[in-house]
Amino acid sequence: MSEALLFEKKGHVVTLTINRPESRNPLGAADDPENFTNAVARINADRDVRCVILTGAGKAFSAGGNVKAMREGGEGFGGPGTHIRERYRNGIHRIVRAVWNIEVPVIAAVNGPAIGLGNDVACLCDTRIAADSAIFGATFLKIGLIPGDGGAWLLPRIIGMARASELLYTGDTIDAKTAKEWGLVSEVVPAADLMQRAHEVANKISVQAPDVLRMTKQLLRHGMTTSFDAIMELSASMQAIAHHSADHKEALDAFFEKRAPVYKGE
């Protein structure tokens, strides 16, 4: 993988690390869409992967888009508006869609500031654990931009419309404690303990049967946009598949034999 996005697999868990610590891990460089797309394709194709941790190197999760490049018209921010639109579609939005399309649960280990696009990328994950040094902000309006990376859809579903509106309209940032109170993160831990805690949660997730784990994520995602009746129909179909799996039989045997199950993804 690229040095800008580190890929490490340990057991059933993949850790992706945004690796531009000297500039607080901005996103949107020319190679970022390909880096994320390739990493996600690798994850989704590996049936041995059951959880992903996404974090940033150094003291920041991600400062978001490259504001200096915006001012100078570099990294795709120059030229006519129609051209910028296409570069968003084929650039930054490919990063967003790649993270959204990871088939296994994703934990954002937010080690520091997650600002703008960085906040949106954290929100694309299934759950977020924050270091006590983390800061969150949807600060697009402060630089004269709209929330153009999915945040207008993501934030209200995570923290509610009123608080999402407050963050977006004011451009304020919030600390980790407030983020937990608002439901943006599930827990806050000392910075030194962040990755250990993220791996603890990832390992708890990774003991689940891999196929039903992926199907459960699909159900949760579909539940964000579809009707109750549609979810019930999809659940019936997926449950029928699960009942015929070898992992379901193994789970039942382990339950009655009072032992830990050994799943093979079958």
Side-chain angles (χ1 to χ4, degrees):
M1 295 300 297
S2 165
E3 291 183 1
L5 183 67
L6 304 181
F7 187 112
E8 180 185 11
K9 181 181 176 184
K10 185 176 181 180
H12 298 297
V13 178
V14 167
T15 300
L16 295 177
T17 304
I18 306 166
N19 189 39
R20 294 188 182 103
E22 70 287 344
S23 50
R24 302 202 310 166
N25 300 321
L27 292 168
D31 59 344
D32 282 344
E34 200 71 22
N35 291 339
F36 276 86
T37 300
N38 289 343
V40 171
R42 183 175 170 185
I43 288 164
N44 289 346
D46 186 351
R47 305 304 293 182
D48 191 51
V49 177
R50 301 182 190 177
C51 191
V52 171
I53 298 170
L54 178 61
T55 193
K59 296 182 179 180
F61 179 78
S62 173
N66 189 329
V67 180
K68 182 179 179 182
M70 291 178 195
R71 187 181 187 192
E72 296 172 352
E75 291 191 7
F77 294 115
T82 52
H83 293 183
I84 295 174
R85 178 191 186 198
E86 288 307 306
R87 287 194 288 266
Y88 264 92
R89 285 175 163 177
N90 297 309
I92 287 172
H93 286 189
R94 285 181 64 203
I95 301 169
V96 170
R97 291 180 184 277
V99 177
W100 182 252
N101 288 326
I102 296 174
E103 294 177 1
V104 298
V106 184
I107 300 166
V110 185
N111 52 304
I115 307 297
L117 173 58
N119 187 74
D120 289 345
V121 168
C123 288
L124 291 163
C125 301
D126 297 283
T127 188
R128 287 153 293 283
I129 301 172
D132 52 13
S133 56
I135 299 170
F136 299 84
T139 57
F140 299 95
L141 271 69
K142 280 198 169 182
I143 56 171
L145 294 176
I146 64 160
D149 313 311
W153 191 89
L154 291 161
L155 265 180
R157 285 167 168 77
I158 296 171
I159 61 175
M161 183 61 76
R163 282 173 168 160
S165 298
E166 180 180 339
L167 275 186
L168 287 166
Y169 296 157
T170 65
D172 286 346
T173 59
I174 57 174
D175 60 17
K177 180 176 180 292
T178 303
K180 185 174 186 301
E181 291 171 355
W182 286 16
L184 185 56
V185 303
S186 57
E187 60 181 300
V188 178
V189 299
D193 299 334
L194 176 65
M195 292 309 295
Q196 178 182 336
R197 179 57 184 154
H199 278 282
E200 287 173 356
V201 176
N203 289 335
K204 284 185 178 182
I205 292 170
S206 296
V207 300
Q208 309 300 337
D211 291 324
V212 291
L213 183 62
R214 292 188 183 214
M215 285 193 285
T216 299
K217 176 163 180 172
Q218 287 183 37
L219 280 174
L220 285 169
R221 285 292 173 83
H222 284 298
M224 297 174 73
T225 58
T226 194
S227 69
F228 178 74
D229 287 339
I231 286 296
M232 294 303 286
E233 285 299 317
L234 185 58
S235 298
S237 298
M238 287 186 173
Q239 199 72 298
I241 295 169
H243 272 289
H244 277 279
S245 68
D247 282 345
H248 172 57
K249 182 180 184 303
E250 166 63 10
L252 294 176
D253 290 345
F255 176 81
F256 286 105
E257 295 167 12
K258 302 186 185 305
R259 59 172 175 83
V262 179
Y263 295 125
K264 299 179 180 179
E266 298 174 353

